[in-house]
Amino acid sequence: MAVTSGGDERPVVCGDLDHQTVDLIYDVCPGTRVEGLPTRLIEEATHQDKIWGPYREMVMAYAADPEVRFRAATGGVLTALALYLLHSGQVDFILHVKASNERPSFGERHISRVAADVITASGSRYGPTAVLSDMDSLLELGNPFAFVGKPCDIAALRNLARHDSRVDALVRYWLTPVCGGFMPSKDLREFLGEQGIEFQKIHSLSYRGYGCPGPTRIEMTDGQVIEQNYLNMWEDASSWSLPFRCKICPDGIGEGADIAAADTWPGGSPTWEGQKTDKGTNAVIVRTAAGQALINAAAEEGFLVVEDEIGPDELSDFQPHQVAKKYASWARHLGLRTSGQLAPETERLRIRELAQERKITELLLEARGTRKRVMAGKTREPAPAFVKP
């Protein structure tokens, strides 16, 4: 992986590629293939929702440790589960993400073997991270581990499992946050610049945490600290952007994971008043028997507090943008294909069935919008000029 002159991470070809390797890349990359849970795991589910997919239960939960709950992005459920797994000895390490030590707006692949490592990596990263960049080396270790990554990272690893039996043998738990995408580095620089913040002088960037959602905290190289209310920074969606791949994502809700954890703000956003009293609670989608056993054990051992059971209607209220994107995905993919572009191949995500519930005029609007982006060159990137990471 290398950093482009535009500030993004992209894969670099080292050596010659034969047809077999290229076919493997297309079959594994989540830009070209996204699937839901493997069929054998769907059979473990006790419920099936047209939007939220297969699940065994949906609950409200948070980390039992008040400090973990406070530091985390929302309720700290994924952090608490990672802590429990290391404590119980069920895995040798956690593969996940932490803030980059070298590039403030990026995350970096992180291995946690003790509780302190997990705590260091808690909180959200709204930036790119090549969390699977050395997966072959990690599989070579032969040690069981848990993976915490974005839904597209989960999809990539599930895709790889079809070609490499070590994945299913060693990845004991698959955990994900429900994901709304991230801002490309170039756009983030411009966004911060409009607020008078010089990107090159940023020492560290914390998007949220230390509260729910907590402030966006920027530490400058000269020691200056800039803190902004989360809503000041991120409420106006028109002021920030997403990579095109995020706009056509068919699975921001983590259908390939054992457990997915989501924000719980009615209407999809925190309120000014609510931030003063919200201690942070996740909506948790438990999809598999392994996920169910993990949630139960973490609660019994005092790492997690599980509250009321909820249902798909509550989740849709908390995550309306995910619902909208799920309904729009098939039409956006159609717009790509009718423009002669690649679109992700999908399985077990029901996006065609959901599209059939929409009016034809709505589907055409989505497809034409995508075609316009293709014509404007917004769906492709020029061959990048690479700089050293």
Side-chain angles (χ1 to χ4, degrees):
M1 300 297 292
V3 180
T4 71
S5 55
D8 296 309
E9 274 190 315
R10 293 292 181 264
V12 181
V13 176
C14 301
D16 296 327
L17 293 178
D18 56 30
H19 290 295
Q20 183 178 2
T21 304
V22 172
D23 288 344
L24 179 62
I25 290 170
Y26 272 77
D27 199 48
V28 171
C29 176
T32 49
R33 177 169 293 278
V34 184
E35 298 188 1
L37 275 179
T39 302
R40 59 183 172 81
L41 296 179
I42 290 178
E43 293 172 353
E44 298 177 0
T46 54
H47 302 81
Q48 177 71 249
D49 183 73
K50 62 182 179 182
I51 297 171
W52 294 97
Y55 68 97
R56 293 174 68 90
E57 71 171 359
M58 297 178 178
V59 295
M60 301 288 279
Y62 57 86
D65 185 327
E67 179 63 21
V68 171
R69 186 182 186 186
F70 181 66
R71 287 185 56 145
T74 306
V77 163
L78 297 180
T79 302
L81 292 176
L83 290 169
Y84 166 72
L85 285 170
L86 291 179
H87 169 80
S88 66
Q90 295 185 52
V91 298
D92 283 8
F93 62 88
I94 310 295
L95 171 60
H96 55 154
V97 171
K98 74 169 186 175
S100 173
N101 292 325
E102 298 180 359
R103 292 168 285 171
S105 64
F106 278 65
E108 64 181 31
R109 188 281 267 157
H110 184 60
I111 296 293
S112 288
R113 297 184 183 275
V114 296
D117 293 337
V118 174
I119 298 298
T120 297
S122 61
S124 282
R125 303 306 304 162
Y126 288 3
T129 308
V131 66
L132 301 174
S133 58
D134 61 347
M135 179 53 63
D136 189 63
S137 298
L138 294 176
L139 294 172
E140 279 293 321
L141 297 175
N143 298 327
F145 64 96
F147 177 58
V148 187
K150 302 187 305 300
C152 55
D153 299 323
I154 294 283
L157 199 53
R158 288 289 189 194
N159 289 343
L160 180 62
R162 296 197 307 274
H163 301 273
D164 190 330
S165 61
R166 298 175 300 173
V167 175
D168 282 335
L170 298 176
V171 183
R172 300 296 169 81
Y173 296 95
W174 308 62
L175 312 176
T176 190
V178 170
C179 178
F182 67 91
M183 187 181 292
S185 297
K186 176 178 179 293
D187 297 323
L188 180 62
R189 290 197 296 270
E190 293 177 357
F191 174 70
L192 294 176
E194 292 170 356
Q195 301 181 52
I197 300 171
E198 294 185 60
F199 188 82
Q200 298 302 323
K201 295 183 178 180
I202 295 177
H203 171 67
S204 65
L205 173 58
S206 174
Y207 292 87
R208 56 189 285 193
Y210 294 91
C212 185
T216 297
R217 178 183 172 92
I218 301 171
E219 296 183 17
M220 309 301 289
T221 53
D222 62 3
Q224 179 188 9
V225 176
I226 302 169
E227 281 196 352
Q228 290 275 2
N229 185 285
Y230 181 87
L231 287 173
N232 277 338
M233 291 292 289
W234 310 107
E235 183 178 35
D236 183 6
S238 65
S239 65
W240 60 297
S241 64
L242 293 173
F244 179 74
R245 170 61 180 79
C246 294
K247 294 179 180 179
I248 62 168
C249 179
D251 182 34
I253 65 175
E255 291 205 36
D258 293 311
I259 294 172
D263 288 328
T264 54
W265 298 314
S269 177
T271 63
W272 289 94
E273 286 300 314
Q275 292 180 83
K276 299 176 183 178
T277 58
D278 189 353
K279 294 183 179 180
T281 302
N282 289 112
V284 183
I285 309 169
V286 183
R287 299 194 184 279
T288 66
Q292 185 78 74
L294 175 57
I295 285 282
N296 293 345
E300 289 172 4
E301 291 291 322
F303 284 80
L304 200 67
V305 175
V306 177
E307 294 187 319
D308 299 334
E309 188 169 346
I310 59 174
D313 289 343
E314 287 95 334
L315 264 176
S316 294
D317 183 34
F318 298 148
Q319 299 286 331
H321 52 293
Q322 294 291 352
V323 176
K325 188 159 58 174
K326 197 82 169 181
Y327 273 102
S329 293
W330 183 84
R332 292 175 181 178
H333 295 180
L334 178 65
L336 280 173
R337 292 191 174 97
T338 56
S339 301
Q341 305 295 306
L342 288 173
E345 298 291 337
T346 64
E347 294 286 347
R348 302 182 299 283
L349 295 177
R350 308 165 309 285
I351 60 172
R352 185 185 183 97
E353 291 83 350
L354 288 170
Q356 290 172 343
E357 296 182 8
R358 298 189 67 183
K359 297 178 181 178
I360 187 65
T361 52
E362 295 173 338
L363 297 176
L364 288 173
L365 187 64
E366 295 285 1
R368 287 168 179 166
T370 301
R371 287 174 63 91
K372 287 181 180 179
R373 287 184 171 87
V374 171
M375 294 174 64
K378 295 181 178 180
T379 64
R380 301 175 68 86
E381 296 180 8
F386 290 98
V387 296
K388 293 185 68 175

